[in-house]
Amino acid sequence: MTDSNRIVLSSDHTAIALRQAVAAHVAAQGWTVVDIGPTTPESTPYPEHGAAAARRVASGDCRFGVILCGTGQGIMMAANKVRGVRCGVCSDAFSARMIRQHNDANMLAIGARVVGEGLALDIVDAFLAAPFDGGRHAPRVEMIRALEA
Protein backbone atom coordinates (compact mmCIF):
# COMPACT_ATOMS: atom_id res chain seq x y z
CA MET A 1 0.00 0.00 0.00
CA THR A 2 1.19 3.49 -0.76
CA ASP A 3 1.87 6.08 1.93
CA SER A 4 0.37 8.85 -0.21
CA ASN A 5 -2.49 11.03 0.83
CA ARG A 6 -4.42 10.24 -2.35
CA ILE A 7 -7.94 8.86 -1.96
CA VAL A 8 -10.18 7.71 -4.81
CA LEU A 9 -13.93 8.23 -4.67
CA SER A 10 -16.55 6.78 -6.96
CA SER A 11 -20.24 5.94 -6.88
CA ASP A 12 -23.15 5.02 -9.00
CA HIS A 13 -25.86 7.53 -9.91
CA THR A 14 -27.73 7.14 -6.61
CA ALA A 15 -24.87 8.47 -4.52
CA ILE A 16 -23.45 11.41 -6.47
CA ALA A 17 -24.46 14.08 -3.94
CA LEU A 18 -23.14 12.12 -0.96
CA ARG A 19 -19.90 11.30 -2.80
CA GLN A 20 -19.36 14.97 -3.53
CA ALA A 21 -19.95 15.84 0.14
CA VAL A 22 -17.42 13.20 1.18
CA ALA A 23 -14.94 14.53 -1.40
CA ALA A 24 -15.20 18.08 -0.07
CA HIS A 25 -14.90 16.83 3.51
CA VAL A 26 -11.75 14.78 3.00
CA ALA A 27 -10.18 17.45 0.78
CA ALA A 28 -10.63 19.93 3.63
CA GLN A 29 -8.63 17.50 5.80
CA GLY A 30 -5.72 17.57 3.37
CA TRP A 31 -6.41 14.47 1.30
CA THR A 32 -5.82 14.65 -2.45
CA VAL A 33 -9.15 13.52 -3.87
CA VAL A 34 -9.31 11.54 -7.10
CA ASP A 35 -13.03 11.68 -7.89
CA ILE A 36 -13.72 9.37 -10.82
CA GLY A 37 -17.43 10.12 -11.03
CA PRO A 38 -20.00 9.89 -12.35
CA THR A 39 -21.25 13.45 -12.53
CA THR A 40 -24.64 13.07 -14.22
CA PRO A 41 -27.76 11.42 -12.80
CA GLU A 42 -28.28 8.90 -15.62
CA SER A 43 -28.34 5.31 -14.43
CA THR A 44 -24.84 3.83 -14.24
CA PRO A 45 -23.66 0.33 -13.28
CA TYR A 46 -22.13 0.21 -9.81
CA PRO A 47 -19.82 -2.74 -10.66
CA GLU A 48 -17.89 -0.59 -13.14
CA HIS A 49 -17.47 2.22 -10.62
CA GLY A 50 -16.45 -0.07 -7.78
CA ALA A 51 -13.91 -1.90 -9.90
CA ALA A 52 -12.44 1.30 -11.35
CA ALA A 53 -11.83 2.73 -7.88
CA ALA A 54 -10.48 -0.61 -6.63
CA ARG A 55 -7.95 -0.74 -9.45
CA ARG A 56 -6.64 2.68 -8.35
CA VAL A 57 -6.12 1.39 -4.81
CA ALA A 58 -4.69 -1.98 -5.85
CA SER A 59 -2.17 -0.32 -8.17
CA GLY A 60 -0.92 1.97 -5.41
CA ASP A 61 -2.10 5.11 -7.21
CA CYS A 62 -4.34 5.86 -4.22
CA ARG A 63 -3.88 4.88 -0.60
CA PHE A 64 -7.58 4.45 0.14
CA GLY A 65 -10.90 4.37 -1.66
CA VAL A 66 -14.43 5.35 -0.68
CA ILE A 67 -17.19 4.02 -2.89
CA LEU A 68 -20.92 4.54 -2.66
CA CYS A 69 -24.13 3.14 -4.11
CA GLY A 70 -27.67 2.77 -2.79
CA THR A 71 -26.81 0.22 -0.09
CA GLY A 72 -23.04 0.07 -0.45
CA GLN A 73 -23.30 -3.70 -0.84
CA GLY A 74 -23.13 -4.12 -4.61
CA ILE A 75 -20.29 -1.67 -5.18
CA MET A 76 -18.36 -3.30 -2.30
CA MET A 77 -18.78 -6.74 -3.86
CA ALA A 78 -17.42 -5.48 -7.17
CA ALA A 79 -14.43 -3.78 -5.51
CA ASN A 80 -13.53 -6.94 -3.60
CA LYS A 81 -13.11 -8.83 -6.87
CA VAL A 82 -9.97 -6.77 -7.56
CA ARG A 83 -6.86 -8.48 -6.22
CA GLY A 84 -5.35 -6.62 -3.28
CA VAL A 85 -8.53 -4.86 -2.22
CA ARG A 86 -10.18 -5.34 1.15
CA CYS A 87 -13.40 -3.34 1.20
CA GLY A 88 -16.14 -3.34 3.79
CA VAL A 89 -19.53 -1.69 3.76
CA CYS A 90 -20.22 0.27 6.93
CA SER A 91 -23.21 2.12 8.30
CA ASP A 92 -21.61 3.06 11.62
CA ALA A 93 -18.30 4.53 12.73
CA PHE A 94 -17.40 1.58 14.97
CA SER A 95 -17.46 -0.87 12.06
CA ALA A 96 -15.44 1.53 9.90
CA ARG A 97 -12.78 1.78 12.58
CA MET A 98 -12.71 -2.01 13.04
CA ILE A 99 -12.30 -2.84 9.35
CA ARG A 100 -9.15 -0.70 9.38
CA GLN A 101 -7.80 -1.87 12.73
CA HIS A 102 -8.52 -5.59 12.37
CA ASN A 103 -8.74 -6.21 8.61
CA ASP A 104 -6.39 -3.58 7.19
CA ALA A 105 -9.21 -2.55 4.84
CA ASN A 106 -8.08 -0.19 2.11
CA MET A 107 -11.54 0.67 0.83
CA LEU A 108 -14.80 1.70 2.44
CA ALA A 109 -18.27 1.35 0.95
CA ILE A 110 -21.26 3.39 2.12
CA GLY A 111 -24.93 3.16 1.25
CA ALA A 112 -26.36 6.54 0.28
CA ARG A 113 -29.89 5.24 0.89
CA VAL A 114 -28.87 3.88 4.29
CA VAL A 115 -27.04 6.73 6.03
CA GLY A 116 -27.34 10.48 5.92
CA GLU A 117 -24.55 12.91 5.18
CA GLY A 118 -23.54 13.62 8.78
CA LEU A 119 -23.21 9.95 9.66
CA ALA A 120 -21.42 9.21 6.38
CA LEU A 121 -18.78 11.83 7.19
CA ASP A 122 -18.34 10.34 10.67
CA ILE A 123 -17.90 6.89 9.11
CA VAL A 124 -15.27 8.18 6.68
CA ASP A 125 -13.44 9.99 9.50
CA ALA A 126 -13.36 6.83 11.64
CA PHE A 127 -12.06 4.78 8.70
CA LEU A 128 -9.32 7.23 7.76
CA ALA A 129 -8.16 7.85 11.33
CA ALA A 130 -7.79 4.21 12.33
CA PRO A 131 -4.44 2.49 11.87
CA PHE A 132 -4.08 -1.22 11.20
CA ASP A 133 -3.33 -2.86 14.56
CA GLY A 134 -1.22 -5.66 13.07
CA GLY A 135 -0.23 -8.13 15.78
CA ARG A 136 -2.69 -11.00 16.08
CA HIS A 137 -4.67 -9.58 13.15
CA ALA A 138 -1.80 -9.71 10.64
CA PRO A 139 -1.91 -13.50 10.10
CA ARG A 140 -5.65 -13.28 9.41
CA VAL A 141 -5.15 -10.55 6.82
CA GLU A 142 -2.48 -12.74 5.24
CA MET A 143 -5.03 -15.56 5.10
CA ILE A 144 -7.39 -13.25 3.21
CA ARG A 145 -4.59 -12.33 0.80
CA ALA A 146 -3.83 -16.03 0.25
CA LEU A 147 -7.41 -16.59 -0.93
CA GLU A 148 -6.65 -14.36 -3.93
CA ALA A 149 -4.05 -16.80 -5.30
Side-chain angles (χ1 to χ4, degrees):
M1 186 181 336
T2 180
D3 288 331
S4 80
N5 71 336
R6 289 170 57 86
I7 184 169
V8 62
L9 277 75
S10 191
S11 70
D12 70 359
H13 58 283
T14 65
I16 292 171
L18 186 54
R19 187 192 78 238
Q20 291 171 338
V22 169
H25 181 73
V26 297
Q29 295 176 355
W31 288 89
T32 300
V33 175
V34 179
D35 188 337
I36 59 173
T39 58
T40 60
E42 290 81 30
S43 181
T44 58
Y46 60 81
E48 290 178 5
H49 299 289
R55 285 191 290 272
R56 295 280 186 115
V57 172
S59 73
D61 179 50
C62 294
R63 181 173 179 192
F64 294 119
V66 177
I67 52 178
L68 306 94
C69 68
T71 64
Q73 298 291 344
I75 202 163
M76 179 265 306
M77 290 177 192
N80 278 322
K81 297 296 182 181
V82 176
R83 184 183 182 112
V85 167
R86 287 172 310 285
C87 182
V89 62
C90 297
S91 56
D92 62 88
F94 174 78
S95 296
R97 189 169 51 257
M98 290 297 102
I99 66 169
R100 282 287 308 128
Q101 291 179 335
H102 291 191
N103 310 117
D104 198 19
N106 49 15
M107 291 188 72
L108 169 68
I110 298 174
R113 292 179 175 157
V114 179
V115 301
E117 183 178 319
L119 179 54
L121 300 180
D122 289 345
I123 291 166
V124 170
D125 287 346
F127 178 81
L128 294 176
F132 176 49
D133 285 346
R136 66 185 173 96
H137 303 290
R140 297 170 188 156
V141 172
E142 288 305 316
M143 292 172 78
I144 293 169
R145 285 188 182 113
L147 293 171
E148 297 176 337

